[in-house]
Amino acid sequence: MATAPNASCPAPMKAVSNGAFQHENPLDFALPLLIVQIVVVVTFTRVIAFLCKPLRQPRVIAEIIGGILLGPSAIGRSEKFLNTIFPKRSLTVLDTLANIGLLFFLFLVGLELDMRSIQRTGKKALAIALCGITVPFLLGIGTSVVLRATISKGAEAVPFLVFMGVALSITAFPVLARILAELKLLTTDVGRIAMSAAAVNDVAAWILLALAIALSGDDTSPLISLWVMLSGAAFILFAVFAIRPLLAYMAKRSPEGEPVRELYICITLTMVLACSFVTDTIGIHALFGAFVVGIIMPKDGPFAGVLIEKIEDLVSGIFLPLYFASSGLKTNVATIRGGLSWALLALVIFNACFGKIIGTVTVSLLCKMPFREALALGFIMNTKGLVELIVLNIGKDRKVLNDQSFAICVLMALFTTFITTPIVMAVYKPARRGAPYKHKTIQRKDNDSELRVLACFHSTRNIPTLINLVESSRGTRKRGKLCIYAMHLMELSERSSAITMVHKARNNGMPFWNTKQNDEDRMVIAFQTYGKLSSVNVRPMTAISALSNIHEDICASAHQKRAAIIILPFHKHQRMDGTMESLGHSFHLINELVLSHAPCSVGILVDRGLGGTSQVQASDVSFNVVVVYFGGRDDNEALAYGMRISEHPGIVLTVVKFVPPPGMTLSFGAKLVGVASDKNIKVMIDDIDGSSHGGNQEEQLWTEFNNAKSMNEESIKYEEKLVESKSDIEAALKELSRSNLILVGRMPSVAPLVGKSDSPELGPVGSYMAASSFSNSASILVIQQYNSTTDIHPLVMEEFDCPEMPDTPRNNN
């Protein structure tokens, strides 16, 4: 007998529409509606992330807030919006897609966790991890008793108890790693202990969550729960002894330097889904299968890195925000109303913070850690995030948590993570300490001492010119050797692979030193190859940090490596038509900050292709190098560097000294303005002839130059230019524009040659020569000599009792 369709049960949505011209609303169909949902969620969460960036909050905070705001707590209070963009019949498709993305994200989290490092966890970190789980878990049990007596009266006792315990005791490993990297704490004692303890905490939390899920089934028989746990243990053993060998075989068949076979990627990703199906069938949620496959994946070799590269952007950029939106649609902050509910929220937050922080701090103090470090570690370990939301969503889906208790726990996770960064910044700022060193400039009395250069680069376009400059600086054997530290500057991105790289940090206070052959980037290999072919000692490394504060790492690296000069690429690069194009304000700011805080001399290299677009062999070097000399300590440093360069047999050095007519100065009546460490302060420079800048040193430098010139007149030339105006200087400089390289001091005592410049940090002459109109072929090196009297806010505090750090990176793996 036929029955009329039930009006309360809407028909399932069709996948695609026939289009608006067929009088169909695309939002009534699953695919176009899903597309709109993805666009709305991703755009909204990215806007929130942009607004939270000044607060230095991890992106997960913005995504949690965005999900809550899209839900019934804020924008979703509008029934029209909710029924149009997130109708109830579309939520199954949205949740399914979000959970597929979550599966692969948990696979990535498993890839980040190296079980070998957990096995090597020290007793201190292990004790901190266990106490950081136990104390909040016990407080969670007490909290669950209070909640069951008030707002969760119908909840089953044991599952509710375990879920609350896990919710309060968990530490979000990926979020914690991100915060530590942002705060440059990864390689401090606090950071290393936090990472080790968080890894242990993460594994323990997943075990407890498996227990909670096993206990929360519809069938309350203890025998069923026992079967679930035994089946889960059997699956883990099967994964270790059957699946891992297959993964290891594929990893072994993927050698370094060769592309990973597409079949291997396909097998691995299919295996993630298959294992997720198995764990879902067992009854411990599909996420566990994906997480276990990530854990057992071999971490050595390129295979794991290629997997991360293939899926991380899609998963973290598109799918994860959907999960936060899905969670936010279930979160209704309006259910927390009345004095009792708000008091319970305060109780949950207090117990979560008190248990984790007090437990961690107590054990840390017993392990003889300083109080400030112990307190910072307590707040760091109190970080919640995505894993917390997963726990809460599973609890809500299984009817263990009701709407009010779910909303309270979500706000607790949001609050505890939000306060981590500002509080840690307030209570703990590790002092950068270093032993003082002597040679902080190229100009020195002892010319036979080793010259150490920290050469920084952003991309491959900087490398040929930088290597050719290094080759030109080799000097001769009679002088001290040249040691180059080639630092690749990389922005710390939101990708998990950036954190995976940072995990390999060595214990020297840097964000990351790249020391392993099998994971070095190709740009670093170029410098290594040059070092092997020449007598120059080249030591490549990679710094990964936020561009807003990467100057701290550059300056700290220079001090630790006892560099005499830092060479930075100019923030503009030359286009094919010869014009200079900016790479962005961030790189401009990096150069300005390094100039202000460097512990040694600084050179900014305006690259116009020194030697062409490829490395020049030593025997083929044939460069015309010019030192433009006006007077002052910066010009002295440029001259000292030019004299070093002149020792190369393929270099012809020309020193052009500009002199004014008698009774005049090169300022030509203009007031000269220098740049202090604080950019807001302008310093007036007296009209000087340079003799006041350490007259004895200048005389000694010119004596050395004249001696070198008399011994080698073919490769060292000297000219004096009498100039009566700025136009004379410009005309004389134009004559030099066909040179290969021009060295100039940053702040010589000369009138500015350009009225207004977008590169004032290059000084009155450098900013003129960096302009596109000056030359298409002459590279410029603008040099600032280190001046101890202006180094009033050093980033590294010099202490005589500070032990010297090892000169070469150690491999901790």
Side-chain angles (χ1 to χ4, degrees), residues 33-87:
L33 180 58
L34 180 64
I35 292 171
V36 170
Q37 290 171 341
I38 292 173
V39 171
V40 168
V41 169
V42 172
T43 304
F44 189 71
T45 53
R46 288 289 174 157
V47 170
I48 300 292
F50 177 78
L51 296 176
C52 290
K53 199 169 185 179
L55 302 176
R56 300 185 73 175
Q57 293 295 331
R59 199 169 75 193
V60 66
I61 286 289
E63 288 170 334
I64 293 174
I65 293 173
I68 292 174
L69 293 179
L70 286 173
S73 303
I75 302 174
R77 294 176 75 90
S78 165
E79 291 289 332
K80 186 174 182 180
F81 170 81
L82 213 55
N83 293 332
T84 304
I85 306 298
F86 298 105

Side-chain angles (χ1 to χ4, degrees), residues 106-107 110 235-236 239-240 279 287-297:
L106 267 295
F107 170 65
F235 166 75
I236 292 174
V240 171
T279 52
L287 299 177
F288 282 90
F291 182 69
V292 169
V293 175
I295 286 280
I296 64 174
M297 171 70 68

Side-chain angles (χ1 to χ4, degrees), residues 262-493:
E262 183 267 344
L263 178 63
Y264 293 167
I265 302 291
C266 182
I267 290 174
T268 306
L269 298 183
T270 305
M271 199 176 294
V272 171
L273 296 173
C275 290
S276 300
F277 172 77
V278 171
T279 52
D280 189 77
T281 304
I282 290 172
I284 54 173
H285 208 283
L287 299 177
F288 282 90
F291 182 69
V292 169
V293 175
I295 286 280
I296 64 174
M297 171 70 68
K299 306 300 189 291
D300 299 326
F303 190 45
V306 170
L307 282 168
I308 292 174
E309 191 178 307
K310 294 286 184 186
I311 63 176
E312 68 172 337
D313 285 342
L314 183 64
V315 168
S316 61
I318 300 295
F319 290 141
L320 269 191
L322 294 184
Y323 187 79
F324 289 109
S326 173
S327 176
L329 291 171
K330 302 173 190 173
T331 308
N332 190 356
V333 178
T335 58
I336 307 174
R337 54 178 177 268
L340 177 63
S341 294
W342 287 104
L344 291 173
L345 173 62
L347 175 69
V348 171
I349 291 175
F350 175 80
N351 283 350
C353 295
F354 182 83
K356 182 70 77 173
I357 295 169
I358 296 301
T360 303
V361 169
T362 302
V363 176
S364 301
L365 293 175
L366 292 176
C367 293
K368 306 293 176 59
M369 281 183 69
F371 176 73
R372 289 175 76 88
E373 291 187 11
L375 187 61
L377 185 60
F379 279 101
I380 290 169
M381 293 299 293
N382 196 35
T383 303
K384 304 287 190 285
L386 177 64
V387 185
E388 173 89 359
L389 276 192
I390 293 170
V391 172
L392 298 176
N393 275 283
I394 293 173
K396 191 170 191 308
D397 292 341
R398 297 200 164 224
K399 306 292 191 295
V400 176
L401 302 176
N402 61 19
D403 288 347
Q404 197 168 350
S405 56
F406 177 78
I408 285 174
C409 291
V410 168
L411 290 183
M412 177 270 292
L414 184 63
F415 178 82
T416 53
T417 307
F418 192 88
I419 65 172
T420 299
T421 299
I423 290 182
V424 172
M425 288 177 66
V427 302
Y428 182 66
K429 178 68 175 176
R432 294 183 184 269
R433 299 167 61 243
Y437 67 101
K438 181 180 179 183
H439 297 304
K440 298 188 174 186
T441 60
I442 298 173
Q443 182 187 2
R444 58 185 70 172
K445 293 179 181 179
D446 182 12
N447 288 327
D448 293 329
S449 57
E450 183 182 46
L451 176 63
R452 296 185 169 214
V453 178
L454 178 65
C456 304
F457 59 97
H458 305 136
S459 63
T460 52
R461 69 165 62 94
N462 305 133
I463 292 177
T465 293
L466 212 47
I467 289 181
N468 292 332
L469 179 63
V470 169
E471 170 61 31
S472 305
S473 309
R474 270 204 296 149
T476 55
R477 292 185 182 178
K478 65 183 179 183
R479 285 219 181 196
K481 289 184 178 180
L482 178 66
C483 181
I484 300 294
Y485 295 93
M487 176 178 273
H488 182 194
L489 306 179
M490 292 179 65
E491 183 178 10
L492 179 66
S493 69

